[in-house]
Amino acid sequence: MRAPVCAALLLWVLSDAAARRFSEEQMAAVRQRIRSMFYHAYNSYLNNAFPYDELRPLTCDGQDTWGSFSLTLIDALDTLLVLGNRTEFQRVASLLQDTVDFDIDVNASVFETNIRVVGGLLSAHLLAGRAGMELEPGWPCSGPLLRMAQDAAKKLLPAFETPTGMPYGTVNLMHGVSPGETPVTCTAGVGTFILEFAALSRLTGDPTFENAARRALTALWKTRSDIGLVGNHIDIVTKKWVAQDAGIGAGVDSYFEYLVKGAIMLEDEELLDMFRAYDRAIQNYTRFDDWYLWVQMHKGTVTMPVFQSLEAFWPGLQSLLGNLDSAARTFQNYYSVWRQFGGLPEFYSITQGYTVDKREGYPLRPELIESAMYLFRATGDHTYLQFGLDAVESIERIAKTPCGYASVKDLRDHQLDNRMESFFLAETVKYLYLLFDPAHFLHGGGTGGAESWEEGGDSGQCVLGAGGFIFNTEAHPLDPAALHCCSRHAQERQELRDILLSLSQPSSQSEPPASQTEDPPSSQSESIALKPGEKKTPPPLSCPVEPFSARLSVLGQVFSDNT
């Protein structure tokens, strides 16, 4: 195993030495190239594939893949605003309201519908003010895109109606869960809902969604092994692990991502404690020379000494917690694989230093670019910009077709596949652009608004967009300040109703007030990591004025007191 590791480090040293400093003019030129990439793919989808879910770039037509939602258009909507195209954002937002219907007889992936459709609509709703759209009174606590996201999420709720609270993997949007649906679901399919569902609950005042996500997290947390690991696939009815391989890649990845990002977005230290417990086990049992292997979840013995392309999100996640040295070293290993093939193969044998049979493809995934964006924000090291330029040139050279960008079937000979997944426009292009635009408003910079400040809420006194954004696993940005704003207003309205009710019904004073008999609000729900019966009140949200790089790259600044 030492030979490929040494080769990886040598490649990194050579690339690092050759990396140059990028001037503002050079970064602007790369951003223009990325814009051109986006519009080549986006216009090809509109002209040849809409209203289907995805573009087929080799035959220049479309296909439905995840549920017949015009998925690429939903996924790409917030990217339009990231690139500064407010006019097209407004047009597409109105078009989706008129054309997308979730009351259809379609079997849909619960996981994919949540991260792409619910997440995409939530993000577009929260960015609608910056896009210059006409807003309803009370926005961001109301609005048509929010109602669409809520409608889509309601279609997923029947999947959570299980004895454990862990959801089925597939649900029919009209009829619910099929009687013959398999109870076996991947770990990520259970634990990747807290961002979108908590956002929905706190924006709308309906706790149903966050409660469902937390119940699933509670059940999954209780199934970890004695050495602190979780496997890859679980029976959501019996809680038995069907696939017992433990790692950070496919089938598990976004579960860990959502524990960290959920902790940040919701100021929930329980979620962070859960991740810390997992991370200790991951570091103890799966890490080797800054690679992460797959091991048996109960014994910790190695089962697969491979790197999967989906694992490339890990350095970015580590950087959010301030673990920059470890993150940089792991990124070095992954970058060496990219340089070897011009992309990341789905599976890469660490021991052999080559692709794994039948896993040689690269569907233009964003994860390594995502990590580069976070690491550049945290360190300012232009090596990450050099990687970004490598990625732009590689995708242009290998994957570009006259009708969009095609997934790479085999990185060894660059054969192409007839598919352009929606995440290419939602994530890959977006993260590339944001990597080269450190002053972008999503980073807390001044582009697109006066220091990213907006007003919103029923009283018009909510400060939005000034405390950084949390990206869901499909790169859809969510604004924590908006969630706090709406949940605070909902709490104040409930308190006012309780006061008026007590004044109008003096005879009911002997009974406990409604606020003591109802379930606690979602922000004070039953603890996951604490003992049964214990309650935890999270700290109040600090004034969200710190920039993205400060609030999210250093652990000590995530959970602050009233300072």
Side-chain angles (χ1 to χ4, degrees), residues 38-55 60-62 70 72-74 76 80 85 88 91-92 95-96 403 420 425:
F38 174 84
Y39 286 112
H40 176 65
Y42 177 77
N43 291 332
S44 294
Y45 168 78
L46 287 181
N47 294 333
N48 302 287
F50 178 78
Y52 291 104
D53 280 342
E54 292 179 356
L55 170 71
C60 233
D61 55 12
S70 301
T72 294
L73 206 56
I74 294 177
L80 286 166
N85 194 337
E88 182 66 1
R91 186 189 75 84
V92 172
L95 177 65
L96 291 173
C403 193
M420 187 182 81
L425 294 180

Side-chain angles (χ1 to χ4, degrees), residues 163-164 166 182-187 190 219-220 222-225 229-245 296-298:
T164 64
M166 293 188 283
T182 175
V184 177
T185 305
C186 70
T187 305
V190 174
L220 189 56
K222 292 178 179 178
T223 64
R224 66 196 187 283
S225 70
L229 296 172
V230 288
N232 200 276
H233 281 74
I234 190 170
D235 187 312
I236 53 94
V237 174
T238 66
K239 296 190 286 188
K240 301 295 183 182
W241 285 100
V242 176
Q244 299 186 5
D245 296 297
Q296 211 281 341
M297 65 177 289
H298 297 287

Side-chain angles (χ1 to χ4, degrees), residues 9-65:
L9 293 177
L10 177 61
L11 279 171
W12 174 263
V13 169
L14 293 175
S15 66
D16 189 38
R20 66 175 190 269
R21 299 284 303 179
F22 285 74
S23 67
E24 291 295 330
E25 292 76 14
Q26 290 170 327
M27 293 172 68
V30 178
R31 289 199 299 272
Q32 186 55 47
R33 290 182 64 177
I34 297 167
R35 276 196 199 92
S36 298
M37 289 176 62
F38 174 84
Y39 286 112
H40 176 65
Y42 177 77
N43 291 332
S44 294
Y45 168 78
L46 287 181
N47 294 333
N48 302 287
F50 178 78
Y52 291 104
D53 280 342
E54 292 179 356
L55 170 71
R56 298 204 303 170
L58 301 185
T59 52
C60 233
D61 55 12
Q63 63 178 346
D64 281 335
T65 52

Side-chain angles (χ1 to χ4, degrees), residues 107-108 110 159 167-172 176-185 236-237:
N107 293 322
V110 179
Y168 284 97
T170 303
V171 66
N172 185 283
V177 178
S178 168
E181 178 65 26
T182 175
V184 177
T185 305
I236 53 94
V237 174

Side-chain angles (χ1 to χ4, degrees), residues 319-350:
S319 76
L320 289 181
L321 299 172
N323 302 328
L324 296 180
D325 290 342
S326 174
R329 290 193 299 270
T330 300
F331 186 91
Q332 294 169 12
N333 288 339
Y334 299 169
Y335 189 10
S336 71
V337 178
W338 181 288
R339 289 173 61 89
Q340 186 176 353
F341 296 101
L344 290 184
E346 294 287 70
F347 281 32
Y348 177 84
S349 172
I350 300 170

